[in-house]
């Protein structure tokens, strides 16, 4: 009888301990469950009972739990749906000769947003540093050459003076381009970048853009050429902005060419495709890592900060390019392989008639 009472007492103690532990787990802000090797949940805390209403999330957590039971090793996974992020952690547990998995599900959306904001702040600081450098460089050259002319004008021969003036002019144009990019970016941020569409032969437009970049490419040892089977294609576009797209893509192809390559090229091709015009700018340069391709059109984003001072520019070119293409109703994407080069695709629908209210007469100048 005494033994029976002791067993009852111990059983009561076990039940009380289990209830105590359950009460503790019920206070956790995380969703917690225990999964057994019999393919069922042997425990769920209150948070799980109340909030686990996403079947896909539960299935993902169960899948990770099964992996833990199979391998006996801790597993961590992530799940995202409609901008809500969850972290899933599962640990192996031995209980009465049975392998189980204790799995925790945590909503980490706020943490992800904080990480995103911190990354954006870091990119902004790099952007400001880069812009400061880019603006100082032409200003320093203009100041130095101007001071030399002012203080030594009588000592300078005509050829030297011409060289100095050419440098001042070229650096002034470079400075103007930088400021125009900053102005365009400001318009994009304010949703104020507008198009001034007119009927234009885009074949001639592309050819003119390529020809105007030819000398720049040649100075960098890069062959630049244009290919198309079309004689003419007249459509409604903003010629200034479309040329800006081409200048940005060609310039990037030239700037990011491989230094040690003997045959460097940038090829621009034009064709009709899917009711629109397809422009492809291809190079055999350094290429873009696979995990960076989706981010290169983001504002402030630069693939490698070590290139910031090596390659000139604001780093806003692709952001502006994407905005111009999308204002035309088109899209832009890239295919690339590190060490082999990149292909940028620009598709714009063929528009023949000015749409009402598209704001075509406002070029966004001023």
């Amino acid at each position: 009888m005494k033994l029976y009472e002791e067993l009852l007492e111990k059983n009561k103690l076990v039940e009380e301990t289990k209830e105590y532990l359950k009460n503790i787990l019920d206070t956790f802000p995380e969703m917690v469950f225990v999964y057994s090797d019999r393919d069922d949940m042997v425990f769920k805390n209150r948070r799980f009972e109340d909030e686990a209403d996403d079947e896909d999330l539960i299935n993902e957590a169960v899948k990770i739990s099964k992996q833990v039971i199979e391998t006996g090793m801790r597993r961590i996974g992530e799940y995202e749906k409609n901008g809500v992020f969850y972290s899933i952690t599962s640990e192996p547990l031995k209980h009465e000769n049975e392998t189980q998995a204790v799995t925790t599900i945590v909503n980490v959306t706020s943490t992800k947003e904080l990480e995103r904001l911190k990354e954006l702040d870091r990119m902004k600081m790099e952007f400001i540093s880069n812009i400061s450098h880019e603006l100082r460089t032409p200003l320093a050259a203009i100041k130095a050459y101007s001071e030399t002319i002012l203080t030594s004008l009588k000592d300078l021969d005509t050829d030297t003076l011409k060289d100095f003036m050419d440098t001042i002019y070229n650096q002034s144009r470079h400075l103007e381009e930088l400021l125009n990019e900053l102005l365009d970016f400001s318009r994009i941020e304010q949703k104020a970048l507008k198009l001034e569409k007119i009927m234009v032969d885009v074949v001639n437009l592309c050819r003119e853009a390529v020809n105007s970049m030819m000398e720049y490419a040649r100075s960098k040892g890069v062959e630049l050429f244009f290919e198309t089977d079309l004689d003419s294609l007249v459509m409604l576009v903003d010629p200034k902005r479309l040329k800006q797209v081409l200048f940005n893509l060609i310039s990037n192809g030239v700037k990011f060419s491989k230094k040690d390559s003997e045959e460097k090229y940038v090829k621009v091709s034009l064709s009709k495709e899917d009711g629109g015009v397809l422009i492809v700018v291809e190079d055999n340069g350094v290429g873009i890592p696979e995990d960076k391709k989706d981010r290169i059109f983001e504002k402030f984003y630069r693939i490698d900060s070590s290139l910031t001072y090596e390659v000139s520019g604001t780093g806003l070119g692709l952001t502006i390019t994407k905005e111009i293409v999308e204002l035309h109703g088109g899209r832009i994407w890239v295919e690339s392989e590190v060490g082999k080069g990149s292909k940028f695709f620009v598709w714009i629908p063929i528009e023949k008639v000015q749409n009402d209210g598209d704001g075509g007469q406002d070029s966004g100048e001023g």
Side-chain angles (χ1 to χ4, degrees), residues 226-256:
F226 175 58
E227 289 182 352
T228 185
D229 293 329
L230 301 173
D231 295 324
S232 176
L233 179 57
V234 178
M235 56 188 284
L236 199 62
V237 296
D238 183 329
K240 174 186 170 185
R241 293 302 186 182
L242 189 52
K243 276 189 176 180
Q244 186 177 352
V245 167
L246 287 163
F247 290 155
N248 280 336
L249 295 179
I250 293 170
S251 177
N252 279 351
V254 172
K255 286 191 291 190
F256 291 98

Side-chain angles (χ1 to χ4, degrees), residues 132-145 171 175:
S132 300
H133 171 78
E134 288 295 328
L135 293 176
R136 278 199 306 267
T137 302
L139 284 172
I142 292 168
K143 181 183 178 184
Y145 281 94
Q171 291 297 325
L175 187 59

